[in-house]
Amino acid sequence: MNKTFCILPWIHLSVHPDGQVLPCCWATPMGLYLKDKTLNEVWNSEEIRNLRVNMLKGIESTNCEYCYNCEKVGSKSHRQLLNKKYKHHLKTVKKTKEDGTVDKLNIVYWDFRFNNLCNFKCRMCAPTSSTSWYSDNKALCQVFGLTYDEENYTKIDVLEELEPLFDIVEEIYFAGGEPLIMDEHYYILEKLIERKKTDIELVYNTNLSVLRYKDKNLLELWKNFNNISISASLDGTGKRGELIRSGMRWETFVSNLSSIRKNIPQAKCSISFTLQALNCFTMMDTQKILVESKLLKHVDDFLFHFLWNPEILSIQILDKESKELLIKKINDHIENFLIPSKSERSLSDYRGVINYINMEDKSHLIPLFKKYCSTLDFLRNENTKETFPELKNIWNHE
């Protein structure tokens, strides 16, 4: 297959709480919404059909820039990983009509984010993905002179349309909001158990703040499934992680991850780390702590992705001296920890970080970064400067 082809438009849709439809969770918006459309109509919408046609012709799409950029810096992209995983669906690709139509609604890989309910308000997030963000967003809009649109709880109602797809589903990706506090998540688990479809793959992106919800004991439900992958969102240990992911409690995170490791041994647990300016100097320390404390089984169970948006939090805003210090710390981590730990993926990803740092200079955004941090500090009674003293060059930047 060519360098633009991705299997996902033939097996997958990513539907967000506001009804926005994307070809995958990493794609940029394409102006497509569920709203008054059915899943069948969205499946062969003009936007999705055009994407399929371009991929088959080897034409790059602006919606897929995240994967292209990952590949440019030497990291494995979502596109590459899933092309390999779902190559058995290439037979569906061969049935594509000239205009990009695929007759069968072949959504075997689900990503339906039923609502934006979330108990955290992470620094890099937004109201579209967290109900906890509403009041802070209003204040930020006032400070930055942006138009504020009244936020509402948003949700999609597709459970009825999903009923016939239970027969073909192979993988379900639960994300949010926070999926572990969504009624729909538990409905789906119980429906799968009822239908004896417990051989499918369950994949989670969760803040891991709860293992019980209403009358549901998640650990007991998970015991019915043999293929569970839990990607726990964590952006730092202790107070650093708690500031970036406001609402998190480090002790609760450790306790819940330990409980899963003990009670659900078949679950593959990893960390999903959002690499940004705030935590770039402590990412390596976080990985080392998690591995040495045996919260992670292997060094390569620590996965991270670049934060692109909001741009003012990107690691590319670092000044020249900070970038040099960061690169040195990464190289030390590679030499003294990753290589002795026999890392493969993580080793490659860190080398990709070095390439990414040098791709672009956005240090002109430092004043906006500082203004953003100081505004949220005031609203949340936090102190970013004290919590992240390693960013002293940024804090002292004029």
Side-chain angles (χ1 to χ4, degrees):
M1 285 294 176
N2 60 59
K3 292 184 178 181
T4 68
F5 175 78
C6 177
I7 192 68
L8 288 183
W10 283 266
I11 64 168
H12 175 73
L13 288 175
S14 179
V15 184
H16 289 220
D18 60 355
Q20 183 174 195
V21 181
L22 300 170
C24 85
C25 61
W26 295 111
T28 55
M30 56 198 316
L32 181 61
Y33 287 83
L34 201 56
K35 291 184 178 178
D36 299 326
K37 296 183 176 68
T38 65
L39 283 179
N40 266 300
E41 289 169 338
V42 168
W43 180 247
N44 281 314
S45 60
E46 182 180 0
E47 294 85 351
I48 298 296
R49 287 188 289 106
N50 287 342
L51 184 64
R52 291 180 187 135
V53 170
N54 286 340
M55 285 182 172
L56 292 175
K57 290 182 177 180
I59 301 172
E60 288 193 359
S61 167
T62 55
N63 304 111
C64 304
E65 288 180 348
Y66 182 85
C67 282
Y68 300 153
N69 286 330
C70 284
E71 292 164 21
K72 283 177 184 176
V73 299
S75 294
K76 281 286 184 183
S77 69
H78 201 52
R79 180 187 80 87
Q80 291 170 323
L81 294 171
L82 292 180
N83 278 348
K84 182 177 180 181
K85 181 176 183 178
Y86 283 104
K87 61 184 179 182
H88 57 286
H89 280 282
L90 287 173
K91 58 183 181 292
T92 301
V93 178
K94 293 177 181 178
K95 298 177 182 178
T96 308
K97 295 182 178 178
E98 190 174 343
D99 68 346
T101 296
V102 175
D103 288 333
K104 180 184 177 183
L105 184 63
N106 191 49
I107 307 178
V108 299
Y109 170 26
W110 296 4
D111 177 9
F112 297 99
R113 306 185 187 194
F114 296 98
N115 58 61
N116 64 336
L117 183 64
C118 188
N119 51 353
F120 283 14
K121 45 182 179 179
C122 304
R123 287 251 167 166
M124 58 287 182
C125 197
T128 50
S129 296
S130 172
T131 49
S132 298
W133 246 100
Y134 290 170
S135 61
D136 286 356
N137 184 55
K138 185 174 184 178
L140 276 172
C141 287
Q142 291 172 343
V143 170
F144 283 83
L146 302 174
T147 302
Y148 173 74
D149 295 323
E150 194 67 37
E151 307 295 346
N152 294 305
Y153 169 75
T154 58
K155 67 174 297 182
I156 56 170
D157 187 9
V158 294
L159 286 179
E160 188 173 335
E161 290 187 83
L162 292 180
E163 286 297 326
L165 298 179
F166 274 97
D167 293 331
I168 65 169
V169 65
E170 297 176 23
E171 176 180 351
I172 302 178
Y173 177 53
F174 290 108
E178 172 47 46
L180 301 190
I181 57 174
M182 293 182 188
D183 292 328
E184 294 88 347
H185 162 248
Y186 296 91
Y187 171 86
I188 288 174
L189 290 191
E190 291 175 339
K191 182 67 71 172
L192 290 169
I193 294 169
E194 175 189 321
R195 293 189 175 208
K196 299 185 178 0
K197 285 280 291 185
T198 55
D199 58 335
I200 73 161
E201 184 176 1
L202 301 179
V203 181
Y204 288 85
N205 186 275
T206 167
N207 62 36
L208 217 59
S209 58
V210 299
L211 294 178
R212 286 181 177 271
Y213 174 73
K214 296 182 178 179
D215 63 340
K216 312 297 184 185
N217 183 326
L218 186 54
L219 294 180
E220 290 303 314
L221 289 170
W222 275 344
K223 287 178 181 178
N224 293 279
F225 298 89
N226 294 321
N227 195 351
I228 304 175
S229 297
I230 300 168
S231 180
S233 298
L234 179 74
D235 294 322
T237 58
K239 294 187 180 301
R240 288 185 174 89
E242 290 175 348
L243 184 142
I244 294 178
R245 292 192 169 268
S246 182
M248 171 202 168
R249 293 295 173 265
W250 170 242
E251 293 79 7
T252 301
F253 182 90
V254 171
S255 174
N256 286 346
L257 183 55
S258 299
S259 292
I260 293 170
R261 292 285 304 275
K262 178 182 178 181
N263 295 289
I264 313 295
Q266 72 273 28
K268 297 184 284 289
C269 297
S270 64
I271 294 298
S272 176
F273 191 96
T274 303
L275 175 57
Q276 55 191 287
L278 284 171
N279 59 18
C280 59
F281 280 96
T282 55
M283 175 171 67
M284 292 71 71
D285 305 316
T286 301
Q287 182 178 27
K288 193 173 181 180
I289 288 169
L290 292 169
V291 173
E292 291 181 345
S293 65
K294 301 193 184 306
L295 284 169
L296 289 180
K297 287 185 177 180
H298 191 270
V299 64
D300 284 344
D301 292 333
F302 184 85
L303 311 175
F304 56 85
H305 58 272
F306 303 118
L307 178 72
W308 303 94
N309 211 6
E311 192 178 32
I312 57 174
L313 293 181
S314 165
I315 60 173
Q316 290 181 335
I317 72 159
L318 297 180
D319 61 283
K320 185 174 183 294
E321 184 180 353
S322 294
K323 286 183 176 181
E324 290 173 354
L325 290 171
L326 178 57
I327 290 171
K328 182 182 184 307
K329 184 164 185 177
I330 290 173
N331 282 326
D332 288 344
H333 185 65
I334 289 173
E335 186 70 27
N336 299 316
F337 185 70
L338 296 183
I339 292 176
S341 299
K342 295 181 170 48
S343 166
E344 293 182 6
R345 175 168 179 166
S346 200
L347 186 63
S348 171
D349 287 348
Y350 273 102
R351 287 171 175 158
V353 174
I354 295 174
N355 293 332
Y356 176 71
I357 292 170
N358 292 320
M359 271 180 65
E360 196 168 348
D361 176 16
K362 297 182 180 178
S363 56
H364 64 281
L365 295 175
I366 289 177
L368 286 176
F369 168 80
K370 292 167 67 175
K371 184 177 180 180
Y372 183 83
C373 290
S374 62
T375 303
L376 287 182
D377 281 352
F378 175 77
L379 294 171
R380 300 177 179 183
N381 192 30
E382 296 171 341
N383 193 319
T384 312
K385 288 184 180 180
E386 285 187 4
T387 307
F388 297 92
E390 55 275 5
L391 296 177
K392 59 181 181 296
N393 287 340
I394 302 297
W395 307 133
N396 295 330
H397 188 274
E398 296 297 333

